[in-house]
Structures are given as structure tokens and as C-alpha cells.
Amino acid sequence: MAAGGFCKLPDGNVVVALNLPGATDPAVARAPSGDGSVRVLVLAANRARALTRLRNLGMRAIYLRGNAAPPTLDEITAVLHHPDGLIWRTSPVCPASTTPELWHPIRALLRRPTVRV
């Protein structure tokens, strides 16, 4: 289960933040170095739609129970300024990340590695 939280914005939208474990199969996703855990941010009309956006990308077992790790103000600003409203970076609790990392679009995480022949 992913730790995370949400924050309701004044315009009625919701920002959902989830800490997800890294991919176990490198052929499935291009996970970052280290332990592979990532922080994913989603902007949507409500929590259910935010989770549906992630499930439609292939992350089927994503649930949000509670509000243990809500998004920070910097994370909210980052997701509001991204055109897709769906971004990720290595988790701040990840021991491999000593310097702050920039946010990436979700397609960079889900991209299939190229096959060499």
C-alpha cells in the first residue's frame, strides 16, 4: 500500500501525493536508482479521479487511505504548473537522493526501455 495524502485547493480541485515503491521488473518501468521509491503527484477534480488517472496508466493496486503524507506547498506549485498535472520524482525519504531532484512527467517513468538487437 502506498503512503500518501491529498490537499483540496480553493478552486475545488484536489492534489494527491503518493509514495510508491519502485518497479521490481526493470522491463516494466524505468525506475530511478537507489531503492526506487518515487513520489507521484496528481491534479484532478477529486481523489477518485486522481487515483483513476494512475490506474489508467497501469498502476492498478493504488489506494489512498488516510492523509499521512499530504503534498507540500512546493509540490502543489509544481503540479499546478505542469501541463499534464501528473508528475514524479524520487521520494524524499529515499536514501539515494542526496540532492533535490527536479520533477519529471509521468511518461518518463512509464517509458519502455529500448530493445537492442
Side-chain angles (χ1 to χ4, degrees):
M1 182 175 319
F6 67 96
C7 178
K8 189 159 179 126
L9 302 176
D11 65 353
N13 288 333
V14 172
V15 175
V16 173
L18 295 168
N19 293 334
L20 302 175
T24 57
D25 183 11
V28 174
R30 194 173 279 183
S33 61
D35 67 351
S37 56
V38 295
R39 176 98 164 156
V40 177
L41 296 175
V42 184
L43 176 67
N46 56 39
R47 285 187 298 165
R49 287 190 182 181
L51 297 176
T52 300
R53 286 186 73 185
L54 290 173
R55 289 182 187 125
N56 287 342
L57 292 171
M59 301 178 196
R60 299 283 183 225
I62 302 267
Y63 296 99
L64 179 65
R65 294 198 174 101
N67 200 12
T72 64
L73 293 176
D74 291 337
E75 292 174 338
I76 293 170
T77 302
V79 76
L80 286 175
H81 285 90
H82 194 273
D84 293 339
L86 190 55
I87 55 178
W88 71 275
R89 73 174 173 187
T90 55
S91 180
V93 297
C94 176
S97 62
T98 57
T99 60
E101 182 184 0
L102 297 177
W103 291 98
H104 307 286
I106 197 70
R107 63 184 166 269
L109 180 65
L110 301 174
R111 185 178 345 159
R112 303 266 184 209
T114 57
V115 177
R116 289 187 166 173
V117 180

